[in-house]
Amino acid sequence: MRVEIWSDIACPWCYVGKARFEKALAAFPHRDGVEVVHRSFELDPGRAKDDIQPVLTMLSKKYGMSEAQAQAGEHNLREQAAAEGLAYRAEGRDHGNTFDMHRLLHFAKEQGLQSELLQAFYRANFAEERSVYADADGYLVELAVEAGLDGEAARKVLADSDAYADAVRADEREAAELGANGVPFFVLDRKYGVSGAQPSEVFEKALAQAWGERPPLKLVVAEGAEGAEACGPDGCAVPQER
């Protein structure tokens, strides 16, 4: 079974939701039979790469709230994150364009290290003092190396603005086609969708339902070939002379 998760590194509920989903997945009896794929979604795709501002300023402008209200919201998010064992800086974070991080995540997917890099990005953005947006290229390469990627290869991806850009845009188009207008958005076997950072119990139920409703495998057998040779636990059938 495949679970696809659309998310953005700038999204605090994606950070929390990932932890809640992984808690449910860890307890799922068929964990080894679940493939998790992370998909790209930008909350602020039109933002210029050099347009970086404090999170509180961004929230105030975007939602028409006072900075005090925005700060209270950040404190609430810190409590929500702490309940999942996550560190969260409620003061002093900034906000910017995440497109390059998404491009690197597609590169990491090819290397089998997508989840590791995503977690490194989340931790850096929400828990560390250093900004992932200011001096982004240098810091993103460091995080890529930390996740197990080759630093020079990651640097080349960042230097080529076209690298994996189509893959990011394809993910975003697909999200729109599936009706996702916010993140996190979880899609189980292209049959069920879960929107938002739901409690772990919701993910547990969704996993069980999606797994239980998978159609049984139907074998296609040509007429007269029912006994075709195959290998099994007891060895391989040895062709006999006829």
Side-chain angles (χ1 to χ4, degrees):
M1 183 170 73
R2 170 180 281 196
V3 177
E4 298 162 277
I5 307 173
W6 272 264
S7 60
D8 191 11
I9 301 92
C11 167
W13 289 117
C14 295
Y15 180 47
V16 173
K18 180 175 181 288
R20 291 175 178 173
F21 170 77
E22 288 177 346
K23 180 180 177 181
L25 186 60
F28 187 54
H30 307 289
R31 166 67 185 92
D32 292 342
V34 179
E35 176 193 12
V36 179
V37 178
H38 296 280
R39 301 292 193 189
S40 298
F41 190 105
E42 294 173 275
L43 290 173
D44 204 353
R47 180 176 290 271
K49 185 175 179 179
D50 59 355
D51 184 3
I52 303 166
Q53 63 182 167
V55 165
L56 296 184
T57 302
M58 179 274 293
L59 291 173
S60 297
K61 291 181 178 179
K62 187 170 184 177
Y63 299 107
M65 62 175 68
S66 68
E67 288 207 3
Q69 290 173 315
Q71 186 66 79
E74 284 293 285
H75 286 163
N76 176 266
L77 276 163
R78 181 171 61 188
E79 293 176 7
Q80 299 273 354
E84 305 303 330
L86 301 172
Y88 190 97
R89 289 179 64 227
E91 294 93 11
R93 291 194 308 107
D94 58 6
H95 176 78
N97 182 286
T98 58
F99 188 62
D100 283 348
M101 283 182 269
H102 284 295
R103 294 196 300 112
L104 273 179
L105 284 167
H106 277 279
F107 166 64
K109 180 184 174 184
E110 291 184 345
Q111 313 303 313
L113 294 168
Q114 187 186 47
S115 183
E116 290 83 351
L117 183 60
L118 180 60
Q119 192 57 36
F121 284 163
Y122 276 144
R123 190 204 69 247
N125 188 46
F126 291 108
E128 304 292 339
E129 291 187 11
R130 187 175 173 186
S131 171
V132 294
Y133 307 106
D135 184 29
D137 289 359
Y139 193 19
L140 296 186
V141 169
E142 290 180 30
L143 293 169
V145 171
E146 178 186 316
L149 294 163
D150 178 77
E152 188 56 36
R155 199 182 307 278
K156 288 180 180 178
V157 170
L158 290 172
D160 179 2
S161 60
D162 291 331
Y164 302 96
D166 288 345
V168 176
R169 297 306 185 207
D171 276 358
E172 293 173 338
R173 285 194 301 273
E174 203 161 7
E177 291 167 1
L178 290 169
N181 52 18
V183 284
F185 189 72
F186 303 77
V187 177
L188 291 78
D189 253 7
R190 289 299 171 106
K191 192 172 183 180
Y192 295 100
V194 178
S195 180
Q198 300 285 349
S200 294
E201 294 78 12
V202 173
F203 291 120
E204 289 173 7
K205 291 179 182 178
L207 286 166
Q209 185 171 355
W211 184 272
E213 294 185 11
R214 291 178 308 142
L217 186 68
K218 294 182 179 180
L219 293 178
V220 177
V221 181
E223 185 177 351
E226 291 82 358
E229 292 84 356
C231 294
D234 298 323
C236 299
V238 178
Q240 301 295 316
E241 292 185 4
R242 296 177 181 177

